Amino acid sequence: MNPELLSRRAEEAGLADVWSRVDAGERLAFDDAVRLFEHEDLALVGAMADVVRRRLHGARAYFNVNQHVNYTNLCNKLCKFCAFQRLPGQEGAYCMSPEEAADEIRKKLHEPVTEVHMVAGVWPKLEYGYYLDLLRAVKEARPSIHVKAFTMVEIDEIQRVAGKPLDEVLLELKEAGLDSLPGGGAEIFADRVHREIFPLKIGAERWLEIARTAHRVGLRSNCTMLYGHIETIEERVDHLERLRALQDETGGFQTFIPLSFHPDNSEMSDLPAPTAHDDLRTIAVSRLFLDNVPHVKAYWIMLGIPTAQLALNYGADDIDGTVTQERIYHDAGAQTPQELARADLIRLIVDAGFEPVERDTLYNVVKVEEIVA
Ligand code: V47
């Protein structure tokens, strides 16, 4: 939308004050974000986010060539939203040995994979040495791979079994091959939601403390928000505000990934999944509010390909990667394929009108694709 039209539309919609802050590159307040979430004109909110997205990244849309290794689905946290967790003896329960995880990496040696995304359930019987061996085995199988592993929730557990100070544990994991951390496990920071749907898992303070310490020892991470279940709009904005405050302090978050709740096969399967409308709005408001986080990811696995493509016009600049072997969302009913080829990712970005840029995990450019009309 051209700036004059946008300005006029914002005026008519009662959002002139918010638009003037966006236009001037000023920070939005809590109430601004609530108003954007509640405003009926989604296209207008999206157009504002698109201005910010293009200011930061032009027409570039990032992707990477990655693979997922979910090393175990054993978990004692019993989060109500999760369809992936199993207890020992339950059908489908598994735990990979470090060598089995490394086999998953070896299976893809013929493909130009640059990152492994390795997350799993929390299982207290796994010893500290298991996690170190897991990292070493994966790195040995493919020394050039970037290992993005362990959410803050897993790090909390790893520190518990290590019995050492957090910074020491993070440095030892780094030494064993950990390169950065994914953004999961944050869910919604509000205590009310924590108590209600994931009471056994770490809460906001601990999640933020681990992220702060990881950033301090030189590990970058992502950050997430699981939305579309029982949280209120104010609780979403509170979550975004706490992430923004930590980012002001450390600058260690690379990408924000809004995670759209998938209810199937979970204890909350009676709830409807968020609509595409809500997905696009959440991406747009996140882009506008998180002024200090460089990237916003539209994770195609959970949004579906059409919504992920549209999201590139609503503030997102990244669609994640080829993925291969994702299990958390597919157990929760995701209908998307389990992997996309590099060429498919490029095609879907070009079809959406953007310029595909293959990145590594730290957003160094691997390759800018020639766009063939
Ligand atoms: O922490 C679990 C969420 C997260 C469900 O950092 C669910 O690049 C929706 O964090 N419906 C793990 N969400 C995934 C994650 C992630 C994904 C892609 C990229 C990155 C990154 C991180 O998935 C969990 C939890 O918040 N989750 N179950 C569900 N039924």
Side-chain angles (χ1 to χ4, degrees):
M1 208 181 292
N2 82 46
E4 271 142 53
L5 183 58
L6 188 46
S7 192
R8 200 157 1 103
R9 283 267 297 270
E11 178 90 47
E12 283 161 13
L15 290 175
D17 55 337
V18 178
W19 166 242
S20 76
R21 281 190 273 289
V22 172
D23 194 31
E26 287 166 14
R27 178 161 277 196
L28 298 188
F30 188 101
D31 290 343
D32 295 333
V34 172
R35 281 167 66 203
L36 290 170
F37 265 119
E38 288 175 345
H39 202 280
E40 62 187 12
D41 192 346
L42 170 64
L44 175 62
V45 177
M48 289 189 201
D50 192 50
V51 167
V52 175
R53 181 244 191 268
R54 286 178 194 271
R55 196 184 284 153
L56 291 169
H57 306 292
R60 290 187 295 281
Y62 296 97
F63 69 97
N64 73 350
V65 181
N66 65 347
Q67 77 181 98
H68 281 216
V69 174
N70 299 130
Y71 55 90
T72 183
N73 59 1
L74 293 174
C75 191
N76 67 357
K77 298 300 174 198
L78 310 178
C79 304
K80 288 189 184 164
F81 55 79
C82 181
F84 173 68
Q85 63 191 325
R86 294 287 182 284
L87 291 169
Q90 274 188 317
E91 199 190 330
Y94 71 90
C95 183
M96 294 180 189
S97 66
E99 266 319 293
E100 285 168 334
D103 283 343
E104 295 299 313
I105 303 295
R106 281 189 279 270
K107 279 183 202 161
K108 294 272 160 195
L109 283 178
H110 59 287
E111 289 181 29
V113 174
T114 59
E115 169 193 284
V116 57
H117 173 119
M118 191 161 68
V119 299
V122 171
W123 193 241
K125 293 210 170 123
L126 296 175
E127 293 171 358
Y128 184 40
Y130 169 86
Y131 298 99
L132 296 170
D133 288 346
L134 191 61
L135 293 167
R136 291 188 192 112
V138 163
K139 265 286 188 264
E140 202 182 301
R142 189 163 198 161
S144 64
I145 209 164
H146 179 110
V147 182
K148 180 182 75 176
F150 308 140
T151 63
M152 309 309 162
V153 182
E154 288 157 278
I155 297 289
D156 175 68
E157 176 64 14
I158 297 171
Q159 189 205 353
R160 193 188 67 75
V161 289
K164 297 178 181 184
L166 183 56
D167 51 358
E168 210 176 297
V169 170
L170 286 163
L171 287 168
E172 286 177 359
L173 293 171
K174 211 173 154 190
E175 181 67 30
L178 181 66
D179 294 306
S180 69
L181 281 74
E187 322 313 0
I188 284 278
F189 288 145
D191 286 341
R192 179 190 76 85
V193 180
H194 183 215
R195 275 195 306 273
E196 192 118 339
I197 66 171
F198 58 106
L200 302 182
K201 192 145 95 181
I202 59 169
E205 292 309 319
R206 179 68 172 151
W207 193 97
L208 292 164
E209 179 200 352
I210 295 174
R212 180 182 290 111
T213 311
H215 298 169
R216 211 180 54 227
V217 304
L219 289 161
R220 310 297 298 271
S221 81
N222 290 335
C223 52
T224 58
M225 172 174 76
L226 175 66
Y227 66 92
H229 41 89
I230 63 160
E231 85 289 0
T232 62
I233 292 303
E234 283 75 11
E235 285 165 341
R236 287 190 197 184
V237 179
D238 168 69
H239 185 98
L240 296 174
E241 195 168 49
R242 292 206 222 180
L243 289 175
R244 191 171 74 174
L246 182 59
Q247 181 73 340
D248 277 344
E249 217 182 296
T250 69
F253 292 129
Q254 303 203 98
T255 308
F256 174 68
I257 310 132
L259 298 169
S260 180
F261 175 51
H262 276 244
D264 289 1
N265 307 320
S266 76
E267 263 189 72
M268 298 167 78
S269 58
D270 53 319
L271 294 183
T275 58
H277 193 277
D278 195 10
D279 291 335
L280 293 173
R281 183 184 292 280
T282 306
I283 284 185
V285 180
S286 305
R287 178 61 287 164
L288 289 164
F289 192 75
L290 293 175
D291 58 351
N292 52 5
V293 177
H295 302 279
V296 172
K297 190 184 280 187
Y299 186 35
W300 66 264
I301 282 271
M302 57 193 245
L303 293 177
I305 293 165
T307 307
Q309 282 181 302
L310 263 179
L312 294 173
N313 285 296
Y314 280 76
D317 60 278
D318 190 303
I319 57 162
D320 202 79
T322 45
V323 177
T324 312
Q325 282 303 322
E326 196 287 329
R327 304 181 69 135
I328 299 175
Y329 289 102
H330 288 91
D331 284 356
Q335 298 298 313
T336 44
Q338 273 209 318
E339 66 179 89
L340 280 183
R342 190 174 176 284
D344 298 329
L345 286 177
I346 292 168
R347 175 54 53 201
L348 78 83
I349 291 172
V350 172
D351 278 355
F354 289 84
E355 179 190 323
V357 178
E358 184 185 342
R359 60 163 177 87
D360 66 12
T361 313
L362 302 175
Y363 287 85
N364 299 303
V365 173
V366 174
K367 195 168 178 212
V368 180
E369 289 300 320
E370 296 282 319
I371 301 175
V372 186

